[in-house]
């Protein structure tokens, strides 16, 4: 399968600040690709270079076969954009905003269908300025989908969503994926990346420190932890062979006739891996 | 339906739905006309005051609608990210700006009709001597002041400040150019300022087509100065206009 996005050695600095220092990755067509990283890691810089909003200092980029730096209209026709921060005209209604955006595309989707998809049907005739923060964010999502794009950029799309809204946004992203759309999303939420992304890149201070499927990131980076308390003291064993270590531990405890208090076997979550990855060296 | 028409329709909808814009841009010059025409009931500089004020407020209206209105709209939209979001759609930037301009022209044309009707019915003001020339002046005024408005929007950074800044420009300009009841005997400094303002020369052209029935092109020097201001604004815009928020 071909690649929707190819990025080779992308660099960008603002004045003296290196926001991106040599970032490379590919996003396959039909893939959901998640870009994770702490505040200021360079996620928005990356997305907005791919969207054509910002100029890169160097590096090769291809987005659906175009260089976004030339800001080709054909590319904007095929991409949907949710910016980290933007607004819609406060005086228009939800339906009018969708209609406004639909008018810019050659083959838009049915707007009522899109409004339904982002869960704003009950607000379709409400003015934008009366919407809650999360509802405005759904509107952003709606305007990104109205052009029936092949590729969707989502910069922290679910920030401000309540748990139910986040779930339904996830369902929506999955349904886009099942239609064969490519999705590039940034997020701070690890569960979101774990739930949605086929592959995740972790960005730290402008460099990619890990790249792979969520399972790969969890699997490769760390071992299983076996914890229990001995006379009130926490004992943590890290191991590649949990079966053997656990067996030895329990055998000894049985032989000595004592209970392993608060025995716990845990696999590291993506969160553990992530925190380890983005910690500044020396902080540990 | 072409994208241009689509966008003009939305611009119109947004304009008329915004009470602040509709009052400040559309009603305010008409209100000033009613006030001033009620105060000055005689002749000013040998011209019936209702006529002279109508020409003056027409000029002020052009500056207010196209210069102040456009600058406020564009800076406001830019700073909250509306322009940035639109830039990410296939809507061509030139089409967008053309739509905003056309919408401004529609507003000012309607305002002109309202001024003329009100003037004629309530104050016995004359209808334009050269109707076609007067219609041309509507377009000329919007073009010149819109050029300046887009230029100003490129230089002004703050959405909070824009409305104050443009009014500090427009109101004294209108006063010095004689929009509010002819030009008085100004001190030399003010006189010198008035002599370079675009509105001064725009009003010269308006007086010609409206009161004397002369051609729109009767005063080449005035026309050139008005055009130069518009082109200067446009040149600034071409160099500095941006779609992304400046303040964040
Ligand atoms: N326009 C700009 N001018 C100067 N510096 C900038 C600009 N935009 C970003 N930066 C800097 O570049 C770095 C990366 O910023 P970026 O917005 O890409 O981070 P991010 O990963 O999206 O962060 P967040 O999670 O907070 O959205 C930061 O250090 C930021 O201060
Ligand atoms: Mg960001």
């Amino acid at each position: 399968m071909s690649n929707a996005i190819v990025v080779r050695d992308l660099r960008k600095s603002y004045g003296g600040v290196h926001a991106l220092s040599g970032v490379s990755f590919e996003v396959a067509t039909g893939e959901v690709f998640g870009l994770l990283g702490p505040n200021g890691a360079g996620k928005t810089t990356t997305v907005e270079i791919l969207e054509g909003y910002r100029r890169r200092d160097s590096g090769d980029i291809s987005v659906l076969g175009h260089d976004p730096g030339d800001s080709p209209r054909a590319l904007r026709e095929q991409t949907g954009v949710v910016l980290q921060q933007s607004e819609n005209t406060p005086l228009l209604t939800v339906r009018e905003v969708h209609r406004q955006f639909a008018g810019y595309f050659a083959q838009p989707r049915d707007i009522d269908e899109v409004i339904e998809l982002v869960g704003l049907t009950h607000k379709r005739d409400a003015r934008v300025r009366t919407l809650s923060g999360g509802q405005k964010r759904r509107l952003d999502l709606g305007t990104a989908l109205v052009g029936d794009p092949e590729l969707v950029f989502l910069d922290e799309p679910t920030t401000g969503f309540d748990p139910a809204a986040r779930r339904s946004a996830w369902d929506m992203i999955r349904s886009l994926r099942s239609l064969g759309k490519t999705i590039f999303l940034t997020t701070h939420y690890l569960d979101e990346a774990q739930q949605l992304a086929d592959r995740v890149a972790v960005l730290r201070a402008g460099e990619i420190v890990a790249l792979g499927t969520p399972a790969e990131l969890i699997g490769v980076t760390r071992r299983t932890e076996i914890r229990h308390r001995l006379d009130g003291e926490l004992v943590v064993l890290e191991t590649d062979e949990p079966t053997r270590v656990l067996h030895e531990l329990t055998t000894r405890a049985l032989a000595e006739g004592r209970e392993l208090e608060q025995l716990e076997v845990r696999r590291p979550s993506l969160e553990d891996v992530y925190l380890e990855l983005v910690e500044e060296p020396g902080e540990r | 339906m072409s994208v241009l028409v689509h966008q003009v329709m939305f611009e119109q909808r947004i304009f008329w739905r915004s009470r602040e814009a509709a009052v400040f841009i559309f009603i305010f010059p008409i209100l000033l006309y009613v006030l001033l025409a009620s105060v000055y009931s005689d002749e000013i500089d040998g011209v019936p005051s209702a006529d002279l004020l109508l020409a003056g407020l027409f000029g002020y209206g052009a500056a207010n609608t196209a210069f102040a209105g456009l600058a406020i709209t564009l800076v406001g939209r830019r700073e909250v990210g509306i322009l940035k979001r639109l830039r990410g759609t296939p809507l061509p930037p030139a089409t967008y700006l053309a739509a905003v301009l056309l919408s401004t022209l529609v507003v000012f044309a309607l305002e002109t009709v309202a001024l003329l009707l009100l003037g004629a019915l309530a104050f016995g003001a004359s209808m334009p001597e050269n109707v076609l020339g007067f219609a041309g002046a509507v377009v000329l005024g919007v073009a010149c002041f819109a050029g300046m408005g887009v230029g100003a929007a490129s230089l002004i950074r703050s959405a909070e400040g824009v409305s104050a800044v443009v009014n500090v420009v427009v109101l004294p300009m209108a006063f010095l150019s004689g929009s509010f009841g002819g030009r008085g005997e100004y001190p030399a400094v003010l006189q010198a300022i008035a002599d370079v303002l675009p509105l001064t020369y725009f009003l010269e052209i308006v007086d010609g087509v409206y009161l004397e029935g002369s051609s729109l092109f009767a005063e080449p020097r005035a026309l050139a100065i008005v055009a130069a201001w518009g082109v200067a604004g446009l040149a600034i815009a071409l160099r500095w206009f941006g779609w992304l928020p400046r303040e964040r």
Side-chain angles (χ1 to χ4, degrees), chain A residues 200-211:
Chain A
V200 176
V202 179
L203 202 57
R204 188 190 74 193
E207 285 177 62
I208 290 184
V209 291
L211 179 74

Side-chain angles (χ1 to χ4, degrees), chain A residues 124-142:
Chain A
R124 43 185 274 178
D125 295 317
R127 299 249 174 118
V128 170
R129 72 161 152 216
T130 68
L131 299 180
S132 75
Q135 289 165 345
K136 284 186 177 144
R137 206 62 186 142
R138 293 192 221 180
L139 179 63
D140 290 338
L141 220 46

Side-chain angles (χ1 to χ4, degrees), chain A residues 14 17 19 37-46 54 84 155-156 188 203:
Chain A
Y14 301 102
V17 183
N39 290 135
K43 300 182 297 296
T44 298
T45 301
T46 307
R54 307 191 192 196
Q84 183 167 0
D155 196 357
E156 299 189 24
H188 289 290
L203 202 57

Side-chain angles (χ1 to χ4, degrees), chain A residues 48 53 73 76 96 104, chain B residues 7 13 17 84 89-90:
Chain A
E48 294 203 350
Y53 284 116
R73 186 172 175 187
R76 294 201 300 276
E96 285 168 339
Y104 304 152
Chain B
Q7 189 60 28
R13 193 182 288 243
R17 215 172 261 182
K84 180 176 180 178
T89 71

